[in-house]
Amino acid sequence: MTRKTRRIIDLSVMLDPVAKEPSPPDIRYGDHESGAVHAAQLFGLQPSDFPESKAWANETVTLTTHTGTHVDAPWHYWPTSEGKPSKTVDQLPLEWFYSDGVLLDFSDKPQGYEITVSDIQQKLEEIQYTLKPFDIVLIRSDADKRFYEENYFQSHAGVSAEVTHWLIDQGIKVMGTDGWGWDIPFSLQAADYKQNPREGVLWAAHFVGKEKEYCQIEKLANLDQLPKPYGFTVAVFPIKVKGASAGWARPVAIIEE
């Protein structure tokens, strides 16, 4: 009997102060020597009491819940969803975040392109896959390859409100993108709105969450490393931040070979 091997692919970006996202983390690094000083102060010792005056290394990180790879909770979109108080990230069912993954590759689309329902349906036909409830849908635009470039936050292909509605109607509760945001770049939304102010332009896909409950993963990475468009499992559990609109995550694809 041949034993299956398991491969795990990291789908997250690095928390890195020099990344070109609008709200990068601030990381203060404490070395082992400063750890000895801190520990000595806490426990009434001398730094020299520790081997070579070294104790623990430590970091202090300041960031938003939307910095790095994260899961947006319904509370992020609007105070209510489906007529009820929107769930915060600590209230989300964990069952949503461990399921079969489906990769839809739109890396051939230009930056700023808005993906349509017909695009999604055509891609599903190409890969010969029918979505089922609780699949985790991943949108690839290869924006993660520009994570350290100045225009990173506006370099992805975005998803329309119509697509978001359609995916939810197929039973999808979690969907994700390797772009900075799920919608098309906000600079394009703002330019469109300024030219012709009207509803349904600014943050249109996010605002679907007012009517239908769902979560989105933003700033995924390495979707190009997935060897097939389906037949793998995604685990993307968000950190439990009390009352928060999002939680950091380290999503992975699990492939049995």
Side-chain angles (χ1 to χ4, degrees):
M1 181 177 177
T2 303
R3 183 178 178 181
K4 287 186 175 180
T5 60
R6 177 176 296 164
R7 185 150 59 106
I8 295 179
I9 299 176
D10 185 359
L11 303 180
S12 65
V13 297
M14 187 80 71
L15 282 176
D16 189 342
V18 302
K20 298 304 181 183
E21 53 177 318
S23 300
D26 176 62
I27 305 177
R28 289 190 289 128
Y29 294 89
D31 60 19
H32 301 85
E33 288 78 11
S34 63
V37 172
H38 183 216
Q41 291 172 342
L42 286 175
F43 302 111
L45 299 169
Q46 296 297 319
S48 58
D49 293 331
F50 294 92
E52 299 182 41
S53 296
K54 291 179 172 63
W56 52 66
N58 195 13
E59 294 76 44
T60 301
V61 183
T62 304
L63 74 173
T64 78
T65 52
H66 298 265
T67 299
T69 307
H70 64 276
V71 173
D72 284 344
W75 176 254
H76 179 51
Y77 318 132
W78 200 254
T80 57
S81 180
E82 299 182 0
K84 299 171 290 186
S86 293
K87 288 185 178 68
T88 52
V89 74
D90 52 314
Q91 298 171 327
L92 297 171
L94 290 179
E95 291 78 10
W96 290 4
F97 301 99
Y98 184 84
S99 193
D100 292 337
V102 183
L103 174 67
L104 302 180
D105 184 358
F106 293 103
S107 59
D108 60 330
K109 299 298 185 185
Q111 300 175 25
Y113 180 84
E114 187 169 53
I115 298 165
T116 67
V117 172
S118 61
D119 289 331
I120 296 285
Q121 292 172 333
Q122 180 180 345
K123 191 64 65 175
L124 288 168
E125 185 176 338
E126 287 175 7
I127 67 174
Q128 299 183 331
Y129 187 83
T130 301
L131 292 175
K132 64 184 186 300
F134 299 103
D135 280 345
I136 296 177
V137 174
L138 310 176
I139 301 295
R140 174 186 168 190
S141 72
D142 283 350
D144 60 303
K145 309 310 177 198
R146 298 178 284 274
F147 191 52
Y148 292 94
E149 297 178 10
E150 293 295 339
N151 68 338
Y152 163 69
F153 69 98
Q154 53 189 1
S155 66
H156 60 280
V159 180
S160 69
E162 290 73 22
V163 165
T164 309
H165 276 290
W166 188 85
L167 289 173
I168 298 169
D169 291 345
Q170 311 313 302
I172 307 304
K173 300 299 285 186
V174 178
M175 52 197 80
T177 174
D178 59 13
W180 176 73
W182 181 249
D183 295 71
I184 61 172
F186 206 91
S187 57
L188 298 179
Q189 300 173 46
D192 185 7
Y193 183 82
K194 290 174 184 177
Q195 187 174 21
N196 180 19
R198 63 199 187 281
E199 290 187 8
V201 175
L202 297 177
W203 232 33
H206 275 70
F207 281 147
V208 171
K210 296 164 62 175
E211 303 171 44
K212 299 174 182 177
E213 188 177 59
Y214 82 104
C215 294
Q216 60 196 33
I217 318 162
E218 293 179 330
K219 287 178 266 189
L220 288 163
N222 304 323
L223 296 180
D224 58 314
Q225 295 184 20
L226 294 172
K228 50 190 175 181
Y230 57 91
F232 58 90
T233 302
V234 173
V236 58
F237 300 112
I239 294 296
K240 220 166 31 169
V241 185
K242 185 175 181 180
S245 63
W248 311 284
R250 187 170 186 178
V252 297
I254 304 166
I255 302 169
E256 303 285 351
E257 298 176 321

